[in-house]
Amino acid sequence: MTITGEIRGSRPRRTPPRLRVTSLEVLCVVLVVALVFQDWLVAALDAPVLRTASTVFVAVCVQAMPFLVFGVLISGAIAAFVPASALRRLLPKKTALAVPVAGVAGVALPGCECASVPVARRLMQQGVAPAVALSFLLAAPAVNPIVLVSTAVAFRDAPLMVPARFVGSLLTAVVMGWLWTRFGKAGWIAERALRRLPDRDGTSRWVVFAETARHDLVEAGGFLVLGGVFAAAFNVLVPAAWLEALGAQLVLGVLVMALLAVVLALCSEADAFVAVSMTALPLLPRLVFLVVGPAVDVKLVALQAGAFGRSFAARFAPVTFVVAIASALAAGVVFL
């Protein structure tokens, strides 16, 4: 037997499997450490500032997580049960006309901004134009029935806040969609967000649904936690007296409430009850708070960076912030 024959007849040497550490293993280790040292941790963290920060962090995550789960379930359902051809047939062929249709379609999704991010990404992966998906992303958290009902309940003494919020939020979504149609570039969005879903004819639709929902939940949940950390830090580091002093003037009140909406990162189903409690401010700054919050806040920017890339978030969030303020002011002039 020749050397060549020996080489051909020998079995390939198998490389040992490499140990991979995933987020699941890290979470398990953190939980075990927390259980072992729980008495020491409770004593070390027993401070008023840390208690406040932890309360805010838990509140943000607890408010948002159910709707995030709802969003990823819808995302999985779109991937598994809705063919791309059906989505394209439902929307007008011209992007400029499809943008307002997508904005109005946000009424059908009762969820917050956390839920809309994975749904918008899935729409892009199904071949929907990015401008149309982004319009839906901005409209869904602010114009759905749950948000409007909660606003009506909170502002019983100012019923015009409901149509003002609806028009301001819908205008923000449509204007941003049109701006992306005119100036947006596909290169600003991460390739993974635009990559078409593979053909899975041989795979069960329920398997596709479960895999897609699990993947989106794990990815989006981490960025939600990051946004909650930023919101908690702001609440304990910035004195409330500073905000009250700035809010005494209308122009500064509008800017302060817009920034406050960004950093507080409240769920759109709950922000109306926070806004109505700020009785020292006129209705217009509080309307800005309600329109800006669901469109751009720290956890939403973090979620967008994770779903569409940091390059996208760095461009989309500042423009959305300006457009949301302008839209809220326009709606406030008409209705308030």
Side-chain angles (χ1 to χ4, degrees):
M1 182 181 293
T2 62
I3 297 178
T4 305
E6 292 178 357
I7 296 176
R8 288 178 180 176
S10 61
R11 293 182 178 180
R13 183 177 299 175
R14 293 183 179 180
T15 58
R18 300 177 63 182
L19 179 62
R20 294 182 59 188
V21 178
T22 66
S23 58
L24 180 60
E25 284 77 15
V26 174
L27 177 60
C28 292
V29 172
V30 171
L31 291 177
V32 171
V33 172
L35 289 174
V36 173
F37 298 99
Q38 59 178 333
D39 294 335
W40 181 85
L41 290 174
V42 170
L45 299 178
D46 189 16
V49 172
L50 293 178
R51 286 199 298 268
T52 302
S54 62
T55 300
V56 172
F57 171 77
V58 172
V60 169
C61 293
V62 168
Q63 286 183 96
M65 186 56 70
F67 300 102
L68 178 60
V69 173
F70 181 70
V72 299
L73 291 178
I74 295 178
S75 172
I78 291 174
F81 303 107
V82 181
S85 58
L87 295 173
R88 289 191 287 268
R89 284 196 301 267
L90 292 175
L91 293 169
K93 294 183 178 180
K94 293 190 65 174
T95 303
L97 297 177
V99 163
V101 173
V104 176
V107 176
L109 178 61
C112 73
E113 56 271 22
C114 300
S116 64
V117 172
V119 176
R121 181 175 65 174
R122 193 60 59 194
L123 291 173
M124 291 184 189
Q125 292 174 333
Q126 290 281 42
V128 175
V132 178
L134 295 176
S135 297
F136 180 84
L137 182 152
L138 294 175
V143 303
N144 68 74
I146 294 179
V147 171
L148 297 179
V149 169
S150 67
T151 305
V153 172
F155 287 91
R156 288 187 295 269
D157 298 331
L160 289 179
M161 283 290 285
V162 177
R165 180 176 192 177
F166 177 84
V167 172
S169 299
L170 184 60
L171 184 61
T172 300
V174 173
V175 170
M176 285 302 301
W178 283 338
L179 287 176
W180 186 269
T181 302
R182 177 64 179 85
F183 302 105
K185 297 180 180 179
W188 294 345
I189 302 178
E191 183 182 354
R192 63 180 181 275
L194 296 176
R195 189 183 301 121
R196 295 292 183 90
L197 295 175
D199 188 10
R200 301 184 181 182
D201 293 335
T203 307
S204 169
R205 291 182 181 273
W206 288 106
V207 172
V208 175
F209 169 78
E211 290 179 352
T212 303
R214 179 181 57 82
H215 175 271
D216 287 349
L217 179 61
V218 171
E219 185 174 275
F223 288 94
L224 170 61
V225 171
L226 181 61
V229 170
F230 282 120
F234 175 84
N235 274 269
V236 299
L237 296 178
V238 178
W242 293 4
L243 301 177
E244 294 175 0
L246 290 174
Q249 302 182 32
L250 183 60
V251 176
L252 289 180
V254 168
L255 295 177
V256 168
M257 291 300 287
L259 293 173
L260 197 61
V262 173
V263 295
L264 284 182
L266 296 175
C267 185
S268 57
E269 276 76 13
D271 58 0
F273 297 96
V274 176
V276 76
S277 66
M278 301 177 182
T279 55
L281 292 172
L283 288 177
L284 187 59
R286 287 187 277 178
L287 175 62
V288 172
F289 178 84
L290 296 178
V291 173
V292 172
V296 52
D297 61 37
V298 289
K299 74 174 184 295
L300 182 56
V301 173
L303 287 168
Q304 290 175 355
F308 307 114
R310 288 178 292 180
S311 178
F312 167 85
R315 293 174 171 87
F316 190 75
V319 179
T320 303
F321 180 74
V322 175
V323 171
I325 293 176
S327 300
L329 293 176
V333 170
V334 174
F335 291 98
L336 301 181

